[in-house]
Amino acid sequence: GSAAMVLGRADRHPEGHRVVGGVSRAGTEHHDLCVGDLTRMRTDTKRLFDAGLALALATWADAKEEFDWDGIDWFVAHQTSVVHIRAMANALGVDPRRFPLTVPTYGNMGPAAVPFTLAQHMDQLRAEDRILLLGIGSGLNTSYAEIVW
């Protein structure tokens, strides 16, 4: 999958969705939990799951200094599995129904899951909805960005 986004000045494109801002954080000490090359891939799934969730929560806590995400309407996340999404929702204290899913139907699409899931659920979004995009990579890295629909 692939995706693109066109950014422009809000005063010139009032019809657009506003990017509020975001945060990113790396946990490079976990670089050895998922390693691949052109011939094979090796993943310590349990340690990757635990370290990824811990990094996601640390990123969330760091973001609270700048952002108030308690009122987010939708959480559109990188989806490796329903188990991961449910664990993230539970850890954040967020109703899992606010995480629209595509992984049960389309599988793990990697980082393309974020824009794909957003596109698949656009009919549920209303003007002024706050949406948090959550990317988590197995490097480990996290990136969160808020947009207002």
Coordinates of all heavy atoms in Angstrom, one line a residue, residues 14-15 20 24 38 40 49 57 62 72-73 75 89-90 95 101 104-105 107 111 115 120 127 139-140 143-144 147:
P14 N -9.4 26.7 3.4 CA -10.3 26.5 4.6 C -11.1 25.2 4.5 O -11.6 24.8 5.5 CB -11.1 27.8 4.6 CG -11.1 28.3 3.2 CD -9.7 27.9 2.7
E15 N -11.2 24.7 3.3 CA -12.0 23.4 3.2 C -11.3 22.2 3.7 O -11.8 21.1 3.8 CB -12.4 23.3 1.7 CG -11.3 22.8 0.8 CD -10.2 23.8 0.5 OE1 -10.3 24.9 0.9 OE2 -9.2 23.4 -0.2
V20 N -3.2 19.6 13.5 CA -2.9 20.3 14.8 C -1.4 20.2 15.2 O -0.8 21.2 15.6 CB -3.8 19.8 15.9 CG1 -3.5 20.4 17.2 CG2 -5.3 20.0 15.5
S24 N 6.8 12.4 18.0 CA 7.4 11.1 17.6 C 8.4 10.8 18.7 O 9.0 11.7 19.4 CB 8.1 11.3 16.3 OG 7.2 11.5 15.3
L38 N 16.8 -9.4 2.8 CA 16.1 -9.9 1.6 C 15.8 -11.4 1.6 O 15.0 -11.9 0.8 CB 16.9 -9.5 0.4 CG 17.0 -8.1 0.0 CD1 17.9 -7.8 -1.2 CD2 15.6 -7.4 -0.2
R40 N 15.3 -13.3 4.9 CA 14.6 -13.8 6.1 C 14.3 -12.7 7.0 O 14.9 -11.6 7.0 CB 15.4 -14.9 6.7 CG 16.4 -14.6 7.8 CD 17.1 -15.9 8.3 NE 16.7 -16.3 9.6 CZ 17.3 -15.9 10.8 NH1 18.3 -15.0 10.7 NH2 16.8 -16.3 11.9
F49 N 6.0 -6.8 21.3 CA 4.7 -6.4 21.7 C 4.8 -5.6 23.0 O 4.3 -4.5 23.1 CB 3.8 -7.6 22.0 CG 2.4 -7.3 22.5 CD1 1.4 -7.1 21.6 CD2 2.1 -7.2 23.8 CE1 0.1 -6.9 22.0 CE2 0.8 -6.9 24.3 CZ -0.2 -6.8 23.3
L57 N 2.9 4.1 25.2 CA 2.4 4.8 26.4 C 3.3 5.9 26.8 O 2.9 7.0 27.3 CB 2.2 3.8 27.5 CG 1.2 2.7 27.3 CD1 1.1 1.7 28.4 CD2 -0.2 3.4 27.2
D62 N 4.4 11.7 27.2 CA 5.2 12.9 26.8 C 4.4 13.9 26.1 O 4.6 15.1 26.2 CB 6.4 12.5 25.8 CG 7.5 11.7 26.5 OD1 7.5 11.7 27.8 OD2 8.3 11.2 25.8
I72 N -10.3 13.2 22.1 CA -10.1 12.7 20.8 C -11.4 11.8 20.4 O -11.8 11.0 21.2 CB -8.8 11.8 20.6 CG1 -7.6 12.8 20.7 CG2 -8.8 11.0 19.3 CD1 -7.5 13.7 19.5
D73 N -11.9 12.0 19.2 CA -13.1 11.3 18.8 C -12.7 9.9 18.2 O -13.4 8.9 18.5 CB -13.9 12.1 17.8 CG -14.4 13.4 18.4 OD1 -15.3 13.3 19.3 OD2 -14.0 14.5 17.9
F75 N -9.3 7.2 17.0 CA -7.9 6.8 17.0 C -7.7 5.9 15.8 O -8.3 4.8 15.8 CB -7.6 6.1 18.3 CG -7.8 6.9 19.5 CD1 -9.0 7.1 20.1 CD2 -6.6 7.5 20.1 CE1 -9.1 7.9 21.2 CE2 -6.7 8.3 21.2 CZ -8.0 8.5 21.8
A89 N -5.8 0.3 23.2 CA -7.0 1.0 23.7 C -7.1 0.8 25.2 O -7.3 1.8 25.9 CB -8.2 0.5 23.0
N90 N -6.9 -0.4 25.7 CA -7.0 -0.6 27.1 C -5.9 0.1 27.9 O -6.2 0.7 29.0 CB -6.9 -2.1 27.4 CG -8.1 -2.9 27.0 OD1 -9.2 -2.3 26.9 ND2 -8.0 -4.2 26.7
D95 N -12.1 3.6 24.8 CA -13.1 2.7 24.3 C -12.6 2.1 23.0 O -12.3 2.9 22.1 CB -14.4 3.3 24.1 CG -15.5 2.4 23.7 OD1 -15.2 1.3 23.2 OD2 -16.7 2.8 23.8
L101 N -11.4 -0.4 12.7 CA -10.5 -1.5 12.3 C -10.6 -1.9 10.8 O -11.7 -1.9 10.3 CB -10.8 -2.8 13.1 CG -10.6 -2.7 14.6 CD1 -11.0 -4.0 15.3 CD2 -9.1 -2.4 14.9
P104 N -9.1 -6.9 10.4 CA -9.8 -8.2 10.3 C -10.1 -8.6 8.9 O -10.2 -9.7 8.5 CB -11.0 -8.0 11.2 CG -10.7 -6.9 12.1 CD -9.8 -6.0 11.3
T105 N -10.4 -7.6 8.0 CA -10.8 -7.8 6.7 C -9.6 -7.8 5.7 O -9.5 -8.6 4.8 CB -11.8 -6.7 6.2 OG1 -12.9 -6.7 7.2 CG2 -12.3 -7.0 4.8
G107 N -6.1 -7.5 6.6 CA -4.9 -8.0 7.1 C -3.9 -6.8 7.5 O -4.3 -5.6 7.5
P111 N 2.4 0.3 7.7 CA 2.1 1.7 7.9 C 1.0 2.2 7.0 O 0.3 3.2 7.3 CB 3.4 2.5 7.6 CG 4.4 1.4 7.4 CD 3.8 0.1 7.3
P115 N -3.6 5.5 6.7 CA -4.4 6.3 5.8 C -5.5 5.4 5.2 O -6.6 5.9 4.9 CB -3.4 6.7 4.7 CG -2.2 5.8 4.8 CD -2.2 5.5 6.3
Q120 N -11.3 4.3 4.7 CA -12.4 3.3 4.8 C -13.5 3.8 5.7 O -14.6 3.3 5.6 CB -11.8 2.0 5.2 CG -11.0 1.2 4.2 CD -11.8 0.8 3.0 OE1 -12.8 0.1 3.2 NE2 -11.4 1.3 1.8
A127 N -17.6 16.9 10.6 CA -16.8 18.1 10.7 C -16.5 18.4 12.2 O -17.3 18.2 13.1 CB -17.6 19.3 10.1
G139 N 11.0 -0.7 14.9 CA 12.4 -0.2 15.1 C 12.9 0.0 16.5 O 14.0 -0.2 16.7
L140 N 12.3 0.4 17.5 CA 10.9 0.8 17.6 C 10.8 2.3 17.5 O 11.6 3.1 18.0 CB 10.4 0.4 19.0 CG 10.0 -1.0 19.3 CD1 9.8 -1.3 20.8 CD2 8.7 -1.4 18.6
S143 N 4.8 7.6 16.2 CA 4.5 8.9 15.7 C 3.0 9.1 15.9 O 2.2 8.2 15.4 CB 4.9 9.1 14.3 OG 6.2 9.2 14.1
Y144 N 2.6 10.1 16.5 CA 1.1 10.5 16.7 C 0.9 11.8 16.0 O 1.7 12.8 16.3 CB 0.7 10.5 18.1 CG 1.0 9.3 19.0 CD1 0.9 9.4 20.3 CD2 1.2 8.1 18.4 CE1 1.1 8.2 21.1 CE2 1.4 6.9 19.1 CZ 1.4 7.0 20.5 OH 1.6 5.9 21.3
I147 N -5.4 15.5 13.7 CA -6.0 16.3 12.7 C -7.5 16.5 13.1 O -8.1 15.8 13.8 CB -6.0 15.6 11.3 CG1 -6.7 14.2 11.3 CG2 -4.6 15.4 10.8 CD1 -6.8 13.6 9.9

